[in-house]
Amino acid sequence: MWKSIRFNDLPDWLKREWHPHNFRIKTKLVKVFHDESISYKILYNRDRRGNLQIRCWRRYNQKIRHPRPQSLTPALIIVVLCIAGFFLYSQPGFFENIIPPINQTVPPQNISSDSFAESSLQPYTGKYKMGNIATDSSGSEGMAIITNNFEGQYYVKNVSLEASSKGWYTNGKTNAEWLRYSEVENRYPIAWDGGIMDVAHIPDRDWTSSGEQTSKEPRITITSAISSAPPSTTARYSVQKVNILEIERQILSLTNNERSAQGVPPLIWDDRLATIARDHSEDMARNDYIGHVNSQGEDPTQRAIRQGYSVHKELAGGWYSEGIGENIAEMPTGMVMFNCPTETIQVPNSAGGVADAMMDAWMNHDACQGNGHRNNILHSQYSHIGIGVAYDGSNYIATQDFW
């Protein structure tokens, strides 16, 4: 059971790592940390007046077993055993009347042999649980177990593991089908060790970008530990749209350059995080808002979970966290004035110019928001990134998602 505690009661490393001054909290941020014996949960919530409230909880994960008081004295137990023994001795046919001979047991009818374990008469309910991915020895392809009728069949989809090993996808629109246990288990005898998946929302390969410009405009999104767009006053111009995929690539390169300069390992590109980021950038462009909560009321972590992305991350010392970090920004071309500190710059109408301006805003013009964007970009606990960019006709909108 979670118990409310003060922020100062958290371990020192946790207070330093997630102190509210290190992050820009626009609406709400929840972080959860666990190990085998204890868990901590931190809630940052900003009310309508802009005041930041912090609530913390602690939970002990191992139950403390208390010895049960003895309800019977040893002497009384001995008396009861003696009476039971005398009764059984005087009734030799007692067990034979209750337990029928084994050779009289009749197996259930009208169930195929595929539904039974070879060594038991109990119905066989399958090797895999709902949400498992059954794979071959290479672990690169398999079947997602969507459901089980417990009568000899799984409801499955054929899936493949993406290059980053972060999740599974289908090759285009794929319909699920019912297959016998043996067909699935003989072909894919190994359970993927990634745990239970959200198999109801497995993405299809249609969303994966090849990196080449196509006739259909790709969707783009970028996110990071929750930090809103840096404040800026801009003059809007009607300009020719530049290649938004190139903006994404430029932002990735600039982000890893900043990390390298600080001695932090580079971030690995993650296709599925990029999809989540692109969706959010397009949602902001389409509905004319800038924020971490989308038009469906989902924060970055909820958006990732909906698309089947595992937000669980193992940390050092047996701890782990659950959540997605996010940075967002809005940038036009032409003359743009930044605040915190104030500076006016000329943003060229090019992919490199837009990417440079966004990184400049995140890294150098965020003092009034606690440098939350900069902290996200340089945070050593993040290892993967997805970036998405959209265009609303006047501004380029970017999202960075960190995991």
Side-chain angles (χ1 to χ4, degrees), residues 153-164:
Q153 292 179 314
Y154 296 119
Y155 195 52
V156 301
K157 271 189 178 183
N158 290 306
V159 293
S160 299
L161 184 64
E162 59 188 22
S164 62

Side-chain angles (χ1 to χ4, degrees), residues 251-273:
I251 291 175
L252 174 64
S253 177
L254 293 170
T255 297
N256 281 332
N257 288 345
E258 295 287 355
R259 290 173 68 90
S260 177
Q262 299 298 321
V264 184
L267 296 169
I268 300 170
W269 178 265
D270 190 315
D271 280 342
R272 297 188 71 191
L273 276 179

Side-chain angles (χ1 to χ4, degrees), residues 204-215:
D204 62 73
R205 197 56 173 174
D206 293 343
W207 50 254
T208 302
S209 169
S210 65
E212 299 177 358
Q213 193 70 15
T214 62
S215 59

Side-chain angles (χ1 to χ4, degrees), residues 179-190:
L179 293 178
R180 298 197 311 170
Y181 294 152
S182 60
E183 292 182 60
V184 178
E185 294 169 5
N186 291 340
R187 183 175 179 185
Y188 297 110
I190 302 170

Side-chain angles (χ1 to χ4, degrees), residues 43-60:
L43 168 65
Y44 305 97
N45 189 42
R46 192 175 294 280
D47 59 25
R48 294 181 178 179
R49 296 182 179 179
N51 299 319
L52 183 64
Q53 300 175 350
I54 306 174
R55 297 188 63 189
C56 304
W57 293 267
R58 178 177 58 204
R59 181 182 68 189
Y60 294 98

Side-chain angles (χ1 to χ4, degrees), residues 109-356:
Q109 301 297 318
N110 299 325
I111 301 180
S112 68
S113 59
D114 208 23
S115 301
F116 291 86
E118 294 180 358
S119 60
S120 173
L121 292 174
Q122 295 298 319
Y124 178 53
T125 57
K127 178 179 179 179
Y128 299 113
K129 299 179 181 179
M130 290 177 283
N132 278 167
I133 304 293
T135 76
D136 56 11
S137 58
S138 69
S140 60
E141 67 172 39
M143 289 183 177
I145 311 301
I146 297 175
T147 190
N148 184 347
N149 66 3
F150 299 102
E151 295 181 356
Q153 292 179 314
Y154 296 119
Y155 195 52
V156 301
K157 271 189 178 183
N158 290 306
V159 293
S160 299
L161 184 64
E162 59 188 22
S164 62
S165 298
K166 284 293 297 171
W168 297 84
Y169 64 88
T170 60
N171 285 303
K173 299 296 183 181
T174 303
N175 295 324
E177 59 180 333
W178 287 100
L179 293 178
R180 298 197 311 170
Y181 294 152
S182 60
E183 292 182 60
V184 178
E185 294 169 5
N186 291 340
R187 183 175 179 185
Y188 297 110
I190 302 170
W192 181 62
D193 60 5
I196 303 298
M197 300 286 293
D198 179 12
V199 293
H201 299 96
I202 298 176
D204 62 73
R205 197 56 173 174
D206 293 343
W207 50 254
T208 302
S209 169
S210 65
E212 299 177 358
Q213 193 70 15
T214 62
S215 59
K216 182 178 179 180
E217 197 59 43
R219 295 192 298 173
I220 302 179
T221 310
I222 310 175
T223 55
S224 100
I226 299 183
S227 296
S228 300
S232 64
T233 302
T234 64
R236 298 192 174 190
Y237 300 90
S238 177
V239 296
Q240 183 178 0
K241 180 180 177 182
V242 300
N243 189 331
I244 53 181
L245 290 176
E246 183 60 28
I247 297 176
E248 294 178 0
R249 286 191 284 268
Q250 293 281 350
I251 291 175
L252 174 64
S253 177
L254 293 170
T255 297
N256 281 332
N257 288 345
E258 295 287 355
R259 290 173 68 90
S260 177
Q262 299 298 321
V264 184
L267 296 169
I268 300 170
W269 178 265
D270 190 315
D271 280 342
R272 297 188 71 191
L273 276 179
T275 299
I276 296 165
R278 288 168 180 158
D279 284 347
H280 188 53
S281 292
E282 285 199 344
D283 187 64
M284 289 188 288
R286 185 168 50 251
N287 294 291
D288 193 24
Y289 74 95
I290 297 294
H292 294 288
V293 178
N294 67 7
S295 55
Q296 287 77 45
E298 299 170 318
D299 62 24
T301 299
Q302 291 170 325
R303 298 196 304 268
I305 292 174
R306 172 170 55 82
Q307 297 205 35
Y309 193 91
S310 174
V311 298
H312 175 95
K313 185 161 193 171
E314 299 290 339
L315 305 175
W319 292 88
Y320 68 89
S321 66
E322 295 181 348
I324 296 294
E326 182 169 274
N327 282 345
I328 56 178
E330 179 184 40
M331 189 64 60
T333 57
M335 297 302 298
V336 177
M337 185 177 73
F338 292 146
N339 296 322
C340 302
T342 300
E343 180 186 9
T344 301
I345 67 170
Q346 175 73 31
V347 180
N349 184 33
S350 66
V354 173
D356 284 339

